[in-house]
Amino acid sequence: MAISRFYRRRFLNRRGFHAGAYVLADCRVLTERVRDGNRRYVDAELTIADCSRVVSLDLSAYSEADARNSLYKARLLRAIIDDFTDTFEDALHEAYPDLK
C-alpha cells in the first residue's frame, strides 16, 4: 500500500520539436507486511529521455544505508544540474546576446 507519492511526467522539448524527450519521476513510500509488523521502504526512479537516449536512475532505499546513498546521489545530481544550468545560461548569453 502506498503511503505518499510524487509523480511527474513532462515533455522536455517545446512544441514543434521531437516529442521523444521527456522526464519521468516517481517516488513513493511503501509498506510491506512482515512477520513481526510492517516494514517501510522508498521506491524511487528518475528517467530522462532525449529522443533515442534514455537514462533511468534507481534511487530506491530498502535500508538506512541505501537511503543515505540515494539521498547523496540525488543531492549531488541537483548541485551539478544547478551549476550546469548557470554555466549553460552564461554560454548562451555569450553566444546569443539578444536571447531572453
Side-chain angles (χ1 to χ4, degrees):
M1 171 173 85
I3 302 287
S4 60
R5 185 168 188 181
F6 173 87
Y7 181 83
R8 297 288 186 279
R9 183 177 60 181
R10 301 286 187 271
F11 290 108
L12 295 176
N13 286 333
R14 293 174 158 232
R15 288 182 189 263
F17 290 87
H18 297 286
Y22 63 88
V23 63
L24 177 62
D26 191 8
C27 180
R28 55 191 161 178
V29 177
L30 300 173
T31 301
E32 177 180 67
R33 290 180 190 243
V34 293
R35 176 175 273 202
D36 57 346
N38 293 329
R39 182 177 76 100
R40 286 183 162 176
Y41 61 94
V42 175
D43 184 35
E45 186 172 357
L46 177 67
T47 301
I48 303 170
D50 184 15
C51 301
S52 63
R53 295 170 298 269
V54 179
V55 175
S56 289
L57 300 173
D58 181 3
L59 298 167
S60 297
Y62 301 100
S63 68
E64 285 190 33
D66 287 347
R68 282 190 288 277
N69 188 56
S70 292
L71 185 57
Y72 172 80
K73 288 191 285 188
R75 287 177 173 165
L76 182 59
L77 286 167
R78 177 176 58 192
I80 291 169
I81 295 248
D82 286 347
D83 292 346
F84 174 79
T85 301
D86 292 343
T87 302
F88 186 54
E89 286 176 347
D90 292 345
L92 289 173
H93 285 105
E94 183 178 326
Y96 307 101
D98 295 331
L99 184 69
K100 297 191 188 235

